[in-house]
Amino acid sequence: MSSGTARGAAWWLAPLRPAAIGMAAVVVALLVASRQLPAHTILIWSSAGKKGLAASRSDLEIVVVITSLIVIGIWVVASAALAFMPARHILVPHAVYWKGGGRDRTRDMRHRFAIYVSRAIGITFWFLAAEVVAALVSQKNGLLESPWLPVIISILYIIALLVFAVWAFADGFQPPSRAAQEQARRRTA
């Protein structure tokens, strides 16, 4: 492992990237929706041609903005908790490796956690953007005029988050192989 001082700015900013990209997707979706949605927006269709839940365009925009702010708040709280919580209280697979190797391993463990939290937040922002796009697309009379579209998007979001969580804890914290550890040790020596 290389020391924290040898890591560049890209390493330190890597946890921001997934959430920032997802946040940009929500902003773009909202900007497009604010120009394209009619003043009276149908959010859920009860059957073909009949609206089940409708709202004004500004109500939809306000709900998405408030939900995005809540997600940002959750991200900040999770990041602060991760930054200030002692390493011995952080639950991580292969704890003996991650907590027993000194500051570099602990720093790498926290960095991985920060990236995974940011990816989960990014997935949430992409979900919000997809729901806005679904509301935008379903305003037209056509194949997407159905009640199941928001439900399918929500189910896919939940599945994606669960698969990601399982992957992060099953494979995301695998200790490097012995050969990789030796190679890293030789680079720092």
Side-chain angles (χ1 to χ4, degrees):
M1 297 261 148
S2 60
S3 67
T5 57
R7 295 184 174 128
W11 187 84
W12 291 105
L13 295 176
L16 297 175
R17 203 173 306 132
I21 292 170
M23 200 179 312
V26 170
V27 169
V28 168
L30 274 176
L31 288 174
V32 170
S34 69
R35 305 257 190 256
Q36 299 294 322
L37 282 175
H40 190 70
T41 303
I42 301 166
L43 300 178
I44 298 176
W45 296 85
S46 61
S47 63
K50 296 181 181 175
K51 58 186 172 190
L53 176 65
S56 69
R57 176 180 58 224
S58 61
D59 288 345
L60 175 67
E61 293 168 354
I62 290 170
V63 166
V64 172
V65 167
I66 289 173
T67 305
S68 297
L69 290 174
I70 290 170
V71 171
I72 290 172
I74 291 170
W75 185 28
V76 168
V77 168
S79 298
L82 183 61
F84 297 114
M85 183 181 296
R88 67 181 178 274
H89 296 305
I90 298 175
L91 295 175
V92 63
H94 309 287
V96 172
Y97 173 81
W98 292 108
K99 295 177 184 180
R103 288 183 172 253
D104 282 344
R105 284 189 192 166
T106 303
R107 186 177 296 131
D108 191 31
M109 175 189 68
R110 288 180 188 273
H111 187 259
R112 285 180 185 218
F113 258 122
I115 288 175
Y116 298 148
V117 166
S118 180
R119 287 179 183 170
I121 295 298
I123 290 170
T124 303
F125 281 132
W126 278 105
F127 162 71
L128 289 172
E131 289 288 2
V132 170
V133 170
L136 181 67
V137 172
S138 66
Q139 298 308 304
K140 310 283 187 227
N141 290 334
L143 295 175
L144 293 177
E145 189 178 292
S146 58
W148 52 265
L149 186 62
V151 174
I152 293 296
I153 293 172
S154 299
I155 290 171
L156 289 175
Y157 164 68
I158 292 169
I159 290 171
L161 222 56
L162 288 174
V163 166
F164 176 71
V166 168
W167 173 83
F169 284 102
D171 197 36
F173 285 99
Q174 285 291 331
S177 66
R178 297 245 186 244
Q181 290 177 17
E182 286 297 319
Q183 191 177 36
R185 201 170 300 131
R186 275 184 261 143
R187 270 186 286 172
T188 59

